[in-house]
């Protein structure tokens, strides 16, 4: 496959996953902000914007962090190249570039999803609309993934799509976990309190894991068991360990297709082995925030190595 085609497929599904998970991050911030007063909720919206990597662009446009400003900037602001609307447009642009390499069903689903999100975000989103808009973005992303899973041949096209999506999912799950643990909890005095528990529950809901967590854990929502669930539990499809298991499987398929492994395969095995060997106690002892920073760095190194080894273009 030409590097530019692999690049378009890889980024098509990175942008899709990023759009959905940015919406999920907004949902976590919104749920948490609803538990706070107006002043402290602005600090939480600041944390959401910072975690999404949009703080500099946001502060160039706005001087305060009110909710309606924050979520509209993240969702639809044309001056924000990382908005959900921009990312969904990028999904469509990349799909169009490789239209002859993807199924008609996948292309039609991407195109219809883009039109749906475009129409939803054609005007500023009010607080009463936010939940419905977030749910629609999540639903459209699910439809696109379903079209890919149900209609695409299991070739290098499929593998690059899945690798891009799971690299992005791991990145975003780590960031959603971090926005709660490191940025939103106001003081150590709240740890274990009612505010702490409400915020953890919001994190679980934002990754669609509240019911699964309770099926697997008979304790209440607490930092240690939730970190274990979102980082190490390979049964949960949004955990870091699950994502890396899937990346490893699809990278192995690429090695088989091309007849060789690359440096990215070696780096991937190293990261995945470390995840497998870790216990949640070791993560807590290291510091959850410090662990997440290290993981995000490793995840980016892997993405860069894949782009280099398979000659992606910028």
């Amino acid at each position: 496959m030409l590097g530019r085609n692999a690049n378009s497929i890889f980024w098509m599904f990175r942008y899709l996953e990023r759009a959905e998970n940015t919406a999920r991050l907004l949902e976590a911030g919104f749920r948490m902000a609803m538990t706070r007063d107006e002043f402290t909720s602005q600090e939480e919206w600041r944390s959401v914007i910072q975690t999404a990597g949009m703080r500099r662009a946001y502060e160039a446009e706005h001087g305060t962090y009110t909710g309606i400003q924050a979520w509209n900037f993240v969702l639809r602001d044309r001056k924000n190249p990382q908005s959900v609307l921009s990312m969904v447009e990028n999904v469509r642009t990349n799909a169009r570039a490789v239209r002859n390499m993807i199924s008609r069903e996948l292309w039609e689903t991407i195109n219809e999803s883009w039109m749906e999100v475009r129409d939803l975000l054609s005007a500023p989103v009010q607080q009463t609309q936010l939940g419905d808009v977030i749910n629609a973005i999540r639903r459209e992303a699910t439809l696109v993934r379903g079209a890919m899973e149900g209609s695409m041949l299991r070739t290098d096209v499929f593998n690059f799509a899945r690798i891009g999506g799971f690299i992005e999912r791991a990145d975003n799950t780590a960031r959603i976990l971090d926005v709660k643990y490191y940025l939103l909890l106001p003081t150590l005095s709240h740890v274990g309190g009612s505010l702490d528990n409400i915020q953890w529950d919001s994190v679980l809901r934002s990754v669609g894991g509240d019911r699964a967590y309770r099926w697997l854990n008979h304790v209440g929502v607490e930092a240690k068991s939730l970190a274990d669930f979102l980082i190490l539990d390979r049964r949960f499809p949004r955990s870091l360990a699950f994502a890396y298991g899937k990346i490893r499987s699809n990278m192995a398929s690429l090695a088989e297709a091309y007849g060789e492994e690359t440096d990215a395969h070696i780096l991937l095995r190293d990261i995945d082995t470390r995840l497998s060997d870790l216990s949640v106690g070791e993560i807590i002892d290291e510091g959850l925030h410090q662990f997440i920073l290290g993981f995000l760095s490793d995840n980016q190194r892997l993405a860069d190595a894949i782009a280099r080894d398979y000659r992606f273009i910028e």
Side-chain angles (χ1 to χ4, degrees), residues 92-191:
R92 183 176 182 269
T93 298
N94 280 289
R96 188 167 52 189
V98 292
R99 190 170 172 179
N100 64 330
M101 303 182 72
I102 62 177
S103 66
R104 182 174 65 181
E105 183 176 335
L106 177 55
W107 163 251
E108 290 175 350
T109 305
I110 288 172
N111 201 42
E112 290 166 4
S113 294
W114 169 72
M115 290 188 288
E116 174 73 13
V117 173
R118 179 197 61 186
D119 292 346
L120 279 172
L121 299 179
S122 60
V125 177
Q126 303 302 314
Q127 180 171 323
T128 55
Q129 301 170 302
L130 183 59
D132 289 339
V133 168
I134 288 172
N135 287 338
I137 292 166
R138 290 165 53 179
R139 181 176 62 250
E140 294 304 322
T142 299
L143 289 173
V144 172
R145 279 195 300 271
M148 191 218 15
E149 293 282 348
S151 67
M152 289 291 295
L153 291 171
R154 270 40 177 180
T155 63
D156 49 358
V157 176
F158 180 83
N159 288 317
F160 280 121
R162 292 255 294 182
I163 291 165
F166 278 111
I167 283 178
E168 191 65 35
R169 181 176 296 187
D171 180 276
N172 282 276
T173 294
R175 291 180 187 276
I176 287 174
L177 182 57
D178 198 38
V179 76
K180 158 62 180 80
Y181 192 85
Y182 183 71
L183 296 171
L184 293 184
L185 191 63
T187 67
L188 288 175
S189 64
H190 290 83
V191 174

Side-chain angles (χ1 to χ4, degrees), residues 212-228:
Y213 175 86
R214 288 176 173 84
W215 280 337
L216 297 172
N217 294 274
H218 300 297
V219 297
V221 180
E222 60 179 24
K224 186 174 182 179
S225 58
L226 194 140
D228 184 47

